[in-house]
Amino acid sequence: MNPFQFTRVTTPKAAISAVTKESGTYFLAGGTNLIDLMKREVIVPERLVDINKLPLATIEKTATGLRIGAMAKNSTVAENELVKKNFPLLSQALNAGASAQLRNMATVGGNMMQRTRCSYFYDNTMPCNKRSPVQAGPDKGEPNGPTGCGAIGGYNRMHAIFGTEASDRSEKCIAVHPSDMCIALVALDATVNVSGPKGDRKIPFIDFHRLPGDMPQKDNTLQPGELIMSVDLPMNSFAENSHYLKVRDRASYAFALISVGAGVSMKGNTIQDVRLAMGGVAHKPWRLTAAEQFLKGKPATEANFKQAAALAMKGAKGYGENDFKLTMAPNSIVEALKTATKTA
């Protein structure tokens, strides 16, 4: 690990000021991802700004729902009574992520900022468009390893099947977003509150993460110097019928091959409203809006779930080793809906 400067701050204003002053500066929260990246020299910061003392760890009711501070620990949020009662999908997703030790350190804001676990991104001897442009930009001035996408035509078992359909995107990056928490947040219509040098603003969670496009190094829509303050969750009627399904290689401490977050509002056997999102399939948490629209007003039957899953898979594309996801993904959607609606 290379030497770096270290600054500890106690107010959001001081944090924003510190990270804005010089390039190559990163916020340090739980550090469960950033420290790994520093050890591997994927990220080589000039300065870390420790934000662990910021007063942003509260979980409180609001007039419209729940506000979760960016520094709240993942384990604390997962076990919070308000979260478990009103947003069980979020609690389930958090408890499906990482290990108990990591959940005790990881924060909500940090979870949103974690980088892909693509093996080509972590190995700076391998081609990666996501890693090299980061270091070739304002941070270091020269590429950190060769450019290109090693996963296309290489080992891509874990990689994306959505969001790569445009020809200019497919040559850039097919890495997937790794968070379980974020799949639940996008399904629950969360909003991200941020503060930065130009003031405060709100970002709909569905717009927080981005597809690779021409800038695969950029995972989200934060502007330089912006700090995540909190996440707002609007109240909903999905608490009785929600389920987070995670398919992975082993029962614990593994990233999703496919995950599905499902929240359903029922009247008898009829679906009144539904939210669906999928993980392990795209550069960002993948909301299944076409499937949602199809299911509204229809009976909760396996036949309807299969039609919804077929709609959700429109545009999906495999890259060889991850072709199995083209079958696993729709099957997982059906299974998540059956469990959420108690029709399994």
Side-chain angles (χ1 to χ4, degrees):
M1 187 181 296
N2 293 299
F4 57 88
Q5 301 296 312
F6 182 84
T7 301
R8 178 170 289 147
V9 295
T10 57
T11 67
K13 183 178 180 180
I16 293 165
S17 175
V19 83
T20 305
K21 283 181 178 176
E22 53 188 322
S23 63
T25 301
Y26 292 78
F27 291 130
L28 173 66
T32 56
N33 187 206
L34 178 60
I35 302 303
D36 274 350
L37 294 168
M38 291 171 60
K39 288 178 179 176
R40 294 168 184 258
E41 299 186 354
V42 174
I43 289 179
V44 187
E46 300 289 341
R47 179 182 297 276
L48 293 184
V49 177
D50 183 353
I51 58 174
N52 281 284
K53 298 295 185 183
L54 300 187
L56 299 176
T58 57
I59 302 171
E60 56 190 356
K61 277 187 174 180
T62 65
T64 56
L66 196 69
R67 173 164 291 180
I68 302 172
M71 293 303 297
K73 302 293 188 184
N74 282 11
S75 56
T76 302
V77 178
E79 298 306 318
N80 181 273
E81 291 302 321
L82 290 171
V83 173
K84 289 196 293 185
K85 177 182 178 182
N86 299 294
F87 305 99
L89 179 61
L90 176 57
S91 179
Q92 294 167 23
L94 283 164
N95 280 323
S99 64
Q101 292 91 338
L102 286 168
R103 292 194 294 271
N104 286 336
M105 284 300 296
T107 64
V108 168
N111 196 314
M112 292 165 56
M113 297 296 290
Q114 67 176 308
R115 310 300 305 274
T116 182
R117 260 58 179 186
C118 174
S119 58
Y120 294 96
F121 176 69
Y122 271 77
D123 184 347
N124 58 21
T125 68
M126 301 298 290
C128 176
N129 287 324
K130 177 176 283 297
R131 180 193 61 243
S132 288
V134 170
Q135 300 298 317
D139 292 339
K140 297 299 291 181
E142 61 183 25
N144 183 5
T147 58
C149 179
I152 297 175
Y155 179 74
N156 54 45
R157 181 171 177 270
M158 299 293 290
H159 288 71
I161 57 174
F162 287 114
T164 60
E165 62 272 20
S167 58
D168 61 336
R169 291 173 180 164
S170 63
E171 300 302 318
K172 297 292 193 297
C173 178
I174 58 171
V176 295
H177 178 77
S179 168
D180 293 293
M181 179 195 77
C182 292
I183 307 307
L185 289 178
V186 77
L188 294 169
D189 291 321
T191 298
V192 186
N193 300 304
V194 305
S195 186
K198 298 181 180 179
D200 301 337
R201 67 184 180 111
K202 297 178 179 292
I203 308 171
F205 203 88
I206 197 170
D207 297 328
F208 182 82
H209 296 97
R210 60 184 299 283
L211 293 175
D214 291 329
M215 294 189 293
Q217 74 275 20
K218 191 170 173 55
D219 294 331
N220 55 63
T221 55
L222 283 177
Q223 298 300 312
E226 284 189 325
L227 172 69
I228 301 170
M229 302 291 284
S230 60
V231 175
D232 287 341
L233 288 169
M235 289 303 295
N236 60 55
S237 54
F238 306 135
E240 293 297 319
N241 298 99
S242 61
H243 183 61
Y244 185 74
L245 173 66
K246 183 174 182 178
V247 183
R248 47 188 163 180
D249 284 329
R250 57 178 185 270
S252 177
Y253 197 32
F255 294 97
L257 293 167
I258 296 287
S259 66
V260 180
V264 187
S265 176
M266 304 278 290
K267 186 175 182 180
N269 190 46
T270 301
I271 295 172
Q272 301 293 300
D273 200 2
V274 58
R275 297 288 185 276
L276 287 168
M278 196 153 46
V281 296
H283 196 258
K284 60 181 288 184
W286 197 248
R287 182 76 177 263
L288 310 180
T289 52
E292 292 173 356
Q293 290 301 317
F294 171 80
L295 288 169
K296 289 179 184 177
K298 291 189 170 61
T301 64
E302 184 168 351
N304 282 333
F305 296 160
K306 287 182 176 179
Q307 287 194 52
L311 286 171
M313 294 302 295
K314 186 177 181 181
K317 174 187 175 183
Y319 285 85
E321 292 186 337
N322 69 346
D323 285 353
F324 70 94
K325 290 188 177 185
L326 301 176
T327 301
M328 179 180 283
N331 289 343
S332 298
I333 294 169
V334 172
E335 190 64 27
L337 283 167
K338 288 168 65 176
T339 303
T341 58
K342 301 179 176 60
T343 55

